[in-house]
Amino acid sequence: MVGAGLSAKERAYRHTKAGILDGTLPGGDLISEGQVAEVLAMSRTPVREAFLRLEAEGLLRLFPKRGALVVAVSPTEVESVLEARELVEGHALAKLCAAPQAERDTVVVRLREELAVQRAAFAADDETGFAEGDRRFHTVLVESAHNPILVELYGSLRDRQLRMNLGSMMGRGPDRAQAILAQHEAILDALDPQAPDEAHRRLTEHLNATRTAVLGR
């Protein structure tokens, strides 16, 4: 059973957060503790605690006696997330380019494995799998910097990115998905210790394309 062994509070948190991230609970929706409690067959108390946690993460805004508003993604949030991603991922790319050849080769193999999974999701018209493949590709890149604090920070950024990406990947047609795959391939091809700036340039192009897809500019 999914969620077996988890506390009621954790199950309520994961259920609600998953709905926010995958768009089942879209920005602007007003949800109630009772609504979630009924679906999960639990009391309102753990749901209330889960809502407080999600409010702290910026995903909900609580209104006493009215419910919780799912916070919509704003243009300012999009810009902030992409700026932070470029800083973190750009740092990881620089470290990877400077790493010993054997270490760099190991990371590249993992990145190509994730890229292959993402290509398979595209072929199967699996938008959720494609988005998750995108998430794993970039996470592997960040993990290669061997900085657990940056990995934790990046995890929170990628949750926000998942919301931003709804409808902006495969939902915009095969051209957008194919462009993402090509941009990932280009980043991999640029992992050269002799020209680390090129890898960063291609990352910037990739993030700029995401900005255009999400904001339409």
Side-chain angles (χ1 to χ4, degrees), residues 8-27:
K9 177 175 64 176
E10 185 66 20
R11 286 195 295 120
Y13 168 78
R14 293 191 184 193
H15 169 83
T16 308
K17 185 172 184 177
I20 295 171
L21 295 182
D22 68 16
T24 303
L25 299 174

Side-chain angles (χ1 to χ4, degrees), residues 24 27 30 32 47 51 80-81 83 91 94-95 106-107 122 127 131 133 137 148 150 161 165 213:
T24 303
L30 191 67
S32 69
V47 178
F51 278 15
S80 296
V81 168
E83 181 180 10
H91 172 72
K95 288 192 71 174
T106 298
V107 175
F122 170 66
E127 185 170 2
F137 179 91
L150 286 183
Q161 180 73 35
N165 281 343

Side-chain angles (χ1 to χ4, degrees), residues 161-174:
Q161 180 73 35
L162 189 58
R163 294 184 74 205
M164 288 163 43
N165 281 343
L166 290 173
S168 71
M169 287 188 167
M170 291 175 66
R172 291 185 178 253

Side-chain angles (χ1 to χ4, degrees), residues 2 39 53-54 64 74 78 84 99 106-107 113 121 133 148 153 166 171 174 176 178-179 188 211:
V2 177
V39 169
R53 185 174 168 187
L54 290 165
S74 69
V78 172
T106 298
V107 175
E113 288 173 348
L153 168 63
L166 290 173
R176 170 63 180 148
Q178 289 173 337
L188 282 174
R211 177 182 290 104

Side-chain angles (χ1 to χ4, degrees), residues 17-211:
K17 185 172 184 177
I20 295 171
L21 295 182
D22 68 16
T24 303
L25 299 174
D29 265 19
L30 191 67
I31 61 176
S32 69
E33 294 170 4
Q35 174 185 340
V36 175
E38 182 178 357
V39 169
L40 298 179
M42 62 176 60
S43 72
R44 295 188 180 192
T45 300
V47 178
R48 185 176 305 119
E49 294 175 350
F51 278 15
L52 287 169
R53 185 174 168 187
L54 290 165
E55 182 180 44
E57 294 180 9
L59 297 177
L60 291 180
R61 185 173 298 127
L62 304 187
F63 295 94
K65 299 183 180 180
R66 291 181 56 196
L69 180 73
V70 180
V71 177
V73 179
S74 69
T76 299
E77 180 179 358
V78 172
E79 293 289 356
S80 296
V81 168
L82 292 175
E83 181 180 10
R85 280 191 60 191
E86 182 167 2
L87 288 171
V88 174
E89 293 185 50
H91 172 72
L93 276 175
K95 288 192 71 174
L96 185 57
C97 285
Q101 182 72 45
E103 179 180 340
R104 191 166 61 253
D105 288 347
T106 298
V107 175
V108 168
V109 167
R110 289 187 62 201
L111 289 168
R112 291 202 178 280
E113 288 173 348
E114 297 299 348
L115 185 54
V117 171
Q118 196 175 13
R119 290 188 190 281
F122 170 66
D125 198 27
D126 178 2
E127 185 170 2
T128 299
F130 189 89
E132 283 300 321
D134 181 83
R135 179 189 183 104
R136 288 193 300 271
F137 179 91
H138 289 276
T139 299
V140 168
L141 175 60
V142 173
E143 288 173 345
S144 73
H146 304 296
N147 185 321
I149 294 177
L150 286 183
V151 171
E152 182 178 357
L153 168 63
Y154 193 72
S156 66
L157 292 177
R158 292 300 297 175
D159 281 346
R160 294 176 182 273
Q161 180 73 35
L162 189 58
R163 294 184 74 205
M164 288 163 43
N165 281 343
L166 290 173
S168 71
M169 287 188 167
M170 291 175 66
R172 291 185 178 253
D175 288 350
R176 170 63 180 148
Q178 289 173 337
I180 291 171
L181 293 170
Q183 289 156 14
H184 284 177
E185 188 73 49
I187 292 170
L188 282 174
D189 290 344
L191 289 174
D192 183 350
Q194 303 304 316
D197 290 346
E198 179 63 15
H200 197 146
R201 183 184 71 79
R202 295 187 185 188
L203 170 66
T204 300
E205 289 178 350
H206 178 48
L207 296 178
N208 284 341
T210 298
R211 177 182 290 104

